[in-house]
Amino acid sequence: MDQLSPAEKAEVEGYLATSPDLRAEVKEIERSLELFAQSAAIKTPAGLKERVLDSIRNDGRVDVVTKHGSSGLWPAMAAIF
C-alpha cells in the first residue's frame, strides 16, 4: 500500500475494515509474497558470518571475496544480517 496516495490508502483501508473476506484475501496474498521472497532469497554461504565477524575483530576491516572473484560486501552483509 506504500504506492497509494493518501486518499487511495484511506479508501482501501475502509474496504478492509468492512470486509472480512477482503481482509482474508489480503492476508493470503501477503503470505504468498513472503513465501516467494523466502524461496528466492540468496542463501548465505556456510561460515560467512563468522569469517566477517572474525575479520572485524582481528583487524577492524572486512575483506569478502565472492565465488565470482569480486568483493561482494554489501550483498554478503545483507544476506548475513
Side-chain angles (χ1 to χ4, degrees), residues 11-23:
E11 185 177 0
V12 170
E13 288 173 346
Y15 290 135
L16 290 171
T18 60
S19 175
D21 291 339
L22 185 56
R23 283 193 306 271

PDB file of all heavy atoms in Angstrom, residues 11-23:
ATOM      1  N   GLU A  11      -9.246   4.769   1.206  1.00  0.00           N
ATOM      2  CA  GLU A  11     -10.332   4.021   0.571  1.00  0.00           C
ATOM      3  C   GLU A  11     -10.146   2.512   0.755  1.00  0.00           C
ATOM      4  O   GLU A  11     -11.077   1.793   1.131  1.00  0.00           O
ATOM      5  CB  GLU A  11     -10.409   4.365  -0.914  1.00  0.00           C
ATOM      6  CG  GLU A  11     -11.566   3.723  -1.629  1.00  0.00           C
ATOM      7  CD  GLU A  11     -11.661   4.145  -3.094  1.00  0.00           C
ATOM      8  OE1 GLU A  11     -10.836   4.938  -3.574  1.00  0.00           O
ATOM      9  OE2 GLU A  11     -12.579   3.634  -3.762  1.00  0.00           O
ATOM     10  N   VAL A  12      -8.924   2.033   0.518  1.00  0.00           N
ATOM     11  CA  VAL A  12      -8.634   0.605   0.685  1.00  0.00           C
ATOM     12  C   VAL A  12      -8.818   0.197   2.140  1.00  0.00           C
ATOM     13  O   VAL A  12      -9.428  -0.844   2.439  1.00  0.00           O
ATOM     14  CB  VAL A  12      -7.200   0.279   0.195  1.00  0.00           C
ATOM     15  CG1 VAL A  12      -6.815  -1.141   0.584  1.00  0.00           C
ATOM     16  CG2 VAL A  12      -7.106   0.472  -1.307  1.00  0.00           C
ATOM     17  N   GLU A  13      -8.325   1.011   3.063  1.00  0.00           N
ATOM     18  CA  GLU A  13      -8.470   0.687   4.484  1.00  0.00           C
ATOM     19  C   GLU A  13      -9.942   0.637   4.889  1.00  0.00           C
ATOM     20  O   GLU A  13     -10.335  -0.178   5.727  1.00  0.00           O
ATOM     21  CB  GLU A  13      -7.684   1.678   5.335  1.00  0.00           C
ATOM     22  CG  GLU A  13      -6.187   1.462   5.227  1.00  0.00           C
ATOM     23  CD  GLU A  13      -5.364   2.539   5.921  1.00  0.00           C
ATOM     24  OE1 GLU A  13      -5.912   3.610   6.275  1.00  0.00           O
ATOM     25  OE2 GLU A  13      -4.149   2.300   6.095  1.00  0.00           O
ATOM     26  N   GLY A  14     -10.757   1.505   4.279  1.00  0.00           N
ATOM     27  CA  GLY A  14     -12.202   1.474   4.546  1.00  0.00           C
ATOM     28  C   GLY A  14     -12.825   0.164   4.090  1.00  0.00           C
ATOM     29  O   GLY A  14     -13.640  -0.433   4.800  1.00  0.00           O
ATOM     30  N   TYR A  15     -12.446  -0.283   2.901  1.00  0.00           N
ATOM     31  CA  TYR A  15     -12.946  -1.571   2.397  1.00  0.00           C
ATOM     32  C   TYR A  15     -12.489  -2.719   3.311  1.00  0.00           C
ATOM     33  O   TYR A  15     -13.267  -3.620   3.620  1.00  0.00           O
ATOM     34  CB  TYR A  15     -12.463  -1.846   0.982  1.00  0.00           C
ATOM     35  CG  TYR A  15     -13.066  -0.962  -0.084  1.00  0.00           C
ATOM     36  CD1 TYR A  15     -12.264  -0.396  -1.060  1.00  0.00           C
ATOM     37  CD2 TYR A  15     -14.430  -0.697  -0.120  1.00  0.00           C
ATOM     38  CE1 TYR A  15     -12.802   0.420  -2.051  1.00  0.00           C
ATOM     39  CE2 TYR A  15     -14.985   0.108  -1.105  1.00  0.00           C
ATOM     40  CZ  TYR A  15     -14.160   0.666  -2.066  1.00  0.00           C
ATOM     41  OH  TYR A  15     -14.698   1.459  -3.034  1.00  0.00           O
ATOM     42  N   LEU A  16     -11.226  -2.670   3.717  1.00  0.00           N
ATOM     43  CA  LEU A  16     -10.699  -3.737   4.579  1.00  0.00           C
ATOM     44  C   LEU A  16     -11.415  -3.762   5.931  1.00  0.00           C
ATOM     45  O   LEU A  16     -11.637  -4.832   6.500  1.00  0.00           O
ATOM     46  CB  LEU A  16      -9.197  -3.566   4.780  1.00  0.00           C
ATOM     47  CG  LEU A  16      -8.325  -3.838   3.563  1.00  0.00           C
ATOM     48  CD1 LEU A  16      -6.875  -3.426   3.842  1.00  0.00           C
ATOM     49  CD2 LEU A  16      -8.401  -5.296   3.158  1.00  0.00           C
ATOM     50  N   ALA A  17     -11.767  -2.584   6.441  1.00  0.00           N
ATOM     51  CA  ALA A  17     -12.434  -2.505   7.746  1.00  0.00           C
ATOM     52  C   ALA A  17     -13.825  -3.119   7.725  1.00  0.00           C
ATOM     53  O   ALA A  17     -14.311  -3.596   8.755  1.00  0.00           O
ATOM     54  CB  ALA A  17     -12.505  -1.044   8.201  1.00  0.00           C
ATOM     55  N   THR A  18     -14.450  -3.142   6.554  1.00  0.00           N
ATOM     56  CA  THR A  18     -15.829  -3.625   6.490  1.00  0.00           C
ATOM     57  C   THR A  18     -15.982  -4.987   5.825  1.00  0.00           C
ATOM     58  O   THR A  18     -17.092  -5.512   5.774  1.00  0.00           O
ATOM     59  CB  THR A  18     -16.704  -2.606   5.715  1.00  0.00           C
ATOM     60  OG1 THR A  18     -16.195  -2.460   4.390  1.00  0.00           O
ATOM     61  CG2 THR A  18     -16.715  -1.255   6.420  1.00  0.00           C
ATOM     62  N   SER A  19     -14.874  -5.571   5.340  1.00  0.00           N
ATOM     63  CA  SER A  19     -14.997  -6.826   4.607  1.00  0.00           C
ATOM     64  C   SER A  19     -14.044  -7.893   5.128  1.00  0.00           C
ATOM     65  O   SER A  19     -12.859  -7.897   4.802  1.00  0.00           O
ATOM     66  CB  SER A  19     -14.728  -6.595   3.121  1.00  0.00           C
ATOM     67  OG  SER A  19     -14.740  -7.819   2.430  1.00  0.00           O
ATOM     68  N   PRO A  20     -14.546  -8.826   5.921  1.00  0.00           N
ATOM     69  CA  PRO A  20     -13.699  -9.926   6.406  1.00  0.00           C
ATOM     70  C   PRO A  20     -13.119 -10.764   5.267  1.00  0.00           C
ATOM     71  O   PRO A  20     -11.974 -11.204   5.346  1.00  0.00           O
ATOM     72  CB  PRO A  20     -14.640 -10.774   7.270  1.00  0.00           C
ATOM     73  CG  PRO A  20     -15.795  -9.898   7.587  1.00  0.00           C
ATOM     74  CD  PRO A  20     -15.898  -8.909   6.472  1.00  0.00           C
ATOM     75  N   ASP A  21     -13.892 -10.954   4.208  1.00  0.00           N
ATOM     76  CA  ASP A  21     -13.397 -11.733   3.065  1.00  0.00           C
ATOM     77  C   ASP A  21     -12.219 -11.034   2.397  1.00  0.00           C
ATOM     78  O   ASP A  21     -11.239 -11.677   2.014  1.00  0.00           O
ATOM     79  CB  ASP A  21     -14.503 -11.963   2.036  1.00  0.00           C
ATOM     80  CG  ASP A  21     -15.590 -12.911   2.526  1.00  0.00           C
ATOM     81  OD1 ASP A  21     -15.313 -13.700   3.465  1.00  0.00           O
ATOM     82  OD2 ASP A  21     -16.706 -12.865   1.976  1.00  0.00           O
ATOM     83  N   LEU A  22     -12.321  -9.730   2.240  1.00  0.00           N
ATOM     84  CA  LEU A  22     -11.238  -8.968   1.633  1.00  0.00           C
ATOM     85  C   LEU A  22      -9.992  -9.000   2.517  1.00  0.00           C
ATOM     86  O   LEU A  22      -8.881  -9.169   2.028  1.00  0.00           O
ATOM     87  CB  LEU A  22     -11.681  -7.526   1.371  1.00  0.00           C
ATOM     88  CG  LEU A  22     -10.701  -6.641   0.622  1.00  0.00           C
ATOM     89  CD1 LEU A  22     -10.310  -7.253  -0.722  1.00  0.00           C
ATOM     90  CD2 LEU A  22     -11.288  -5.247   0.430  1.00  0.00           C
ATOM     91  N   ARG A  23     -10.173  -8.869   3.842  1.00  0.00           N
ATOM     92  CA  ARG A  23      -9.028  -8.952   4.765  1.00  0.00           C
ATOM     93  C   ARG A  23      -8.345 -10.307   4.659  1.00  0.00           C
ATOM     94  O   ARG A  23      -7.116 -10.401   4.633  1.00  0.00           O
ATOM     95  CB  ARG A  23      -9.474  -8.699   6.204  1.00  0.00           C
ATOM     96  CG  ARG A  23      -9.729  -7.248   6.520  1.00  0.00           C
ATOM     97  CD  ARG A  23      -9.853  -6.995   8.014  1.00  0.00           C
ATOM     98  NE  ARG A  23     -10.836  -7.835   8.680  1.00  0.00           N
ATOM     99  CZ  ARG A  23     -12.122  -7.543   8.817  1.00  0.00           C
ATOM    100  NH1 ARG A  23     -12.608  -6.422   8.318  1.00  0.00           N
ATOM    101  NH2 ARG A  23     -12.941  -8.355   9.454  1.00  0.00           N
TER     102      ARG A  23
END
